[in-house]
Amino acid sequence: MVRLTLELIAKSLSQKNRRDESLAQHLRKITHLKLSNKNIDIIDDLSLCKNLNVLYLYDNQIRQVHNLDFATNLRHLYLQNNCITRLENLASLIKLEKLYLGGNYITVVEGLENLEELRELHVESQQLPLGEKLLFDPRSLHSLAKSLSVLNISNNNIDELSELAVLENLSHLIAVDNQLHHVKDMEFVLSVWTKLIKIELNGNPVCHKPKYRDRLILQSKSLESLDGKEIKEMERQFLMNWKASRDARKKNRAESATNEHAPHSHFDSNDTDHPHFPIYYYPLGKEKPNFAILSEVHRSPHNRESQSATQEENKVTEKISHLALNSPQRSHKELHEPHLLSEMPL
């Protein structure tokens, strides 16, 4: 294995760029350092490189990030395809804007609380234990909420994005080849990410859901590209018009159903306050008074049984007339006041 030392750096530097400067003088001036694919496993003391802006250490064997406290001016750090298992010792990198960590063994994105200027974070394709997914420390997410613009979390068994909703300034999300299933979850985060311009979700089960693309386009007015395909203004306008038409039809159907129900609302089975109208006749001799009772329900033309009730009423009237014609000896003294009875014999 190889240690990253000042001597290794000196060997990688071109002599013609040093001119008459000493190594120490030159190291203080360098801003970019390319040490990728050198089989490096340990980062040694590099404190002389105080003006370093970009450090390339990808494709090595680094297991632990340390000895970078000097790099307060570092803006880009490339650590892809190493053997890093934990994010630590990054607190001093207060000016860091881009951090590349894809292809390592990281299980939790953490230790980023001091990186308040970080704009891009790439943690794709971590070598995770079987069945596990990449996790995010809420403290780090809240620290990055206002600064992070680009996030790459592809191929990490991630099944939901709700915890990332705090990243309010996100403009580009790359989350291909994960386990995202639900369109509603996507609609939720899109409603929060009002500055999102690009999102890539290829290789997730959610991509095969009905109306997947249409629903995401309708949810986000800022989105310009979905799964690598441009969203044209004509497409968005068509979908918006279609949604407005559909909503209008639903509203009309609901209003129609309400109006149709309204005329029959007084027939509610719980309504027992219908006024009653007695029909009576003079009794014959010792015959007990007989009369029927009709209510407004029976008289209403809207009642389903109105026709039947009308026929019953006619029968009662005919009966009264028949009895009256056959009783010439009826006396006014025999007139009885009608009493409410439940039925009248016909």
Side-chain angles (χ1 to χ4, degrees):
M1 294 299 180
V2 178
R3 296 176 69 93
L4 175 54
T5 62
L6 295 178
E7 289 76 13
L8 181 63
I9 295 175
K11 292 178 181 179
S12 66
L13 296 174
S14 174
Q15 290 294 328
K16 64 179 181 179
N17 293 331
R18 289 177 56 181
R19 299 178 184 175
D20 297 329
E21 297 174 330
S22 66
L23 177 60
Q25 290 174 326
H26 186 68
L27 290 176
R28 292 189 184 97
K29 290 183 178 180
I30 61 174
T31 58
H32 290 63
L33 193 55
K34 297 181 180 180
L35 293 167
S36 57
N37 198 22
K38 300 288 185 182
N39 210 30
I40 297 169
D41 64 332
I42 297 176
I43 303 174
D44 213 333
D45 183 12
L46 306 177
S47 57
L48 287 177
C49 306
K50 293 183 178 181
N51 289 310
L52 200 61
N53 288 333
V54 181
L55 178 57
Y56 297 94
L57 289 172
Y58 58 86
D59 294 338
N60 282 296
Q61 300 296 321
I62 299 170
R63 295 181 177 278
Q64 185 179 17
V65 180
H66 58 179
N67 289 330
L68 293 179
D69 295 342
F70 72 93
T72 55
N73 292 311
L74 193 65
R75 296 185 181 276
H76 300 174
L77 178 57
Y78 294 80
L79 289 167
Q80 310 99 297
N81 302 323
N82 278 280
C83 301
I84 300 168
T85 58
R86 184 178 179 184
L87 286 178
E88 55 187 348
N89 303 319
L90 298 173
S92 62
L93 308 182
I94 55 175
K95 294 184 180 180
L96 195 65
E97 297 176 356
K98 296 182 180 182
L99 179 57
Y100 295 82
L101 293 161
N104 280 283
Y105 292 79
I106 299 165
T107 57
V108 181
V109 177
E110 58 185 344
L112 307 178
E113 290 80 358
N114 286 7
L115 308 186
E116 296 182 354
E117 294 189 19
L118 193 67
R119 294 187 293 105
E120 294 189 23
L121 176 61
H122 300 261
V123 288
E124 72 280 3
S125 302
Q126 299 301 313
Q127 304 298 317
L128 299 166
L130 185 64
E132 293 191 14
K133 65 178 181 179
L134 184 65
L135 302 176
F136 296 85
D137 185 339
R139 295 170 296 181
S140 289
L141 289 176
H142 281 284
S143 297
L144 301 176
K146 296 188 179 301
S147 65
L148 199 66
S149 176
V150 178
L151 177 62
N152 187 346
I153 54 173
S154 298
N155 192 28
N156 283 314
N157 293 329
I158 294 172
D159 55 7
E160 62 177 347
L161 300 177
S162 57
E163 61 183 335
L164 304 180
V166 297
L167 304 174
E168 57 188 66
N169 284 312
L170 202 64
S171 64
H172 187 188
L173 176 69
I174 309 164
V176 304
D177 297 329
N178 279 296
Q179 296 299 319
L180 300 171
H181 284 81
H182 305 293
V183 178
K184 286 187 177 181
D185 292 345
M186 300 307 308
E187 289 177 324
F188 167 71
V189 291
L190 287 177
S191 69
V192 178
W193 293 335
T194 56
K195 298 180 181 179
L196 193 70
I197 297 174
K198 295 182 180 181
I199 186 169
E200 298 169 36
L201 301 170
N202 309 79
N204 283 278
V206 71
C207 297
H208 303 292
K209 299 292 184 178
K211 302 290 184 181
Y212 153 76
R213 181 178 174 85
D214 295 350
R215 289 173 64 177
L216 266 58
I217 292 174
L218 285 170
Q219 185 61 52
S220 176
K221 295 181 180 179
S222 62
L223 204 61
E224 297 177 3
S225 176
L226 173 58
D227 298 337
K229 185 178 179 181
E230 179 186 1
I231 300 172
K232 296 183 179 180
E233 187 56 33
M234 183 180 296
E235 179 182 10
R236 175 176 276 113
Q237 192 59 52
F238 170 81
L239 291 172
M240 290 175 65
N241 293 341
W242 170 80
K243 183 177 184 296
S245 176
R246 182 194 62 182
D247 293 345
R249 289 196 301 271
K250 285 184 178 180
K251 183 178 179 181
N252 290 338
R253 283 197 295 268
E255 290 177 351
S256 298
T258 302
N259 293 336
E260 288 176 2
H261 179 70
H264 305 285
S265 60
H266 65 284
F267 296 133
D268 193 306
S269 60
N270 294 325
D271 186 1
T272 59
D273 296 329
H274 303 300
H276 296 78
F277 303 92
I279 297 176
Y280 58 92
Y281 68 97
Y282 298 103
L284 299 175
K286 296 182 180 181
E287 183 180 354
K288 293 182 180 180
N290 292 285
F291 53 89
I293 299 172
L294 299 179
S295 70
E296 283 188 346
V297 175
H298 298 126
R299 299 164 64 90
S300 172
H302 299 289
N303 195 300
R304 292 181 179 177
E305 299 179 357
S306 60
Q307 186 175 358
S308 175
T310 302
Q311 293 175 352
E312 294 295 327
E313 183 177 351
N314 292 338
K315 289 181 181 180
V316 172
T317 304
E318 292 175 2
K319 181 69 173 180
I320 294 171
S321 300
H322 176 73
L323 293 174
L325 291 173
N326 292 282
S327 303
Q329 298 178 352
R330 180 183 295 111
S331 171
H332 289 287
K333 294 181 180 181
E334 294 178 309
L335 177 64
H336 291 269
E337 289 295 327
H339 300 280
L340 301 179
L341 300 177
S342 59
E343 62 182 21
M344 173 181 176
L346 298 177

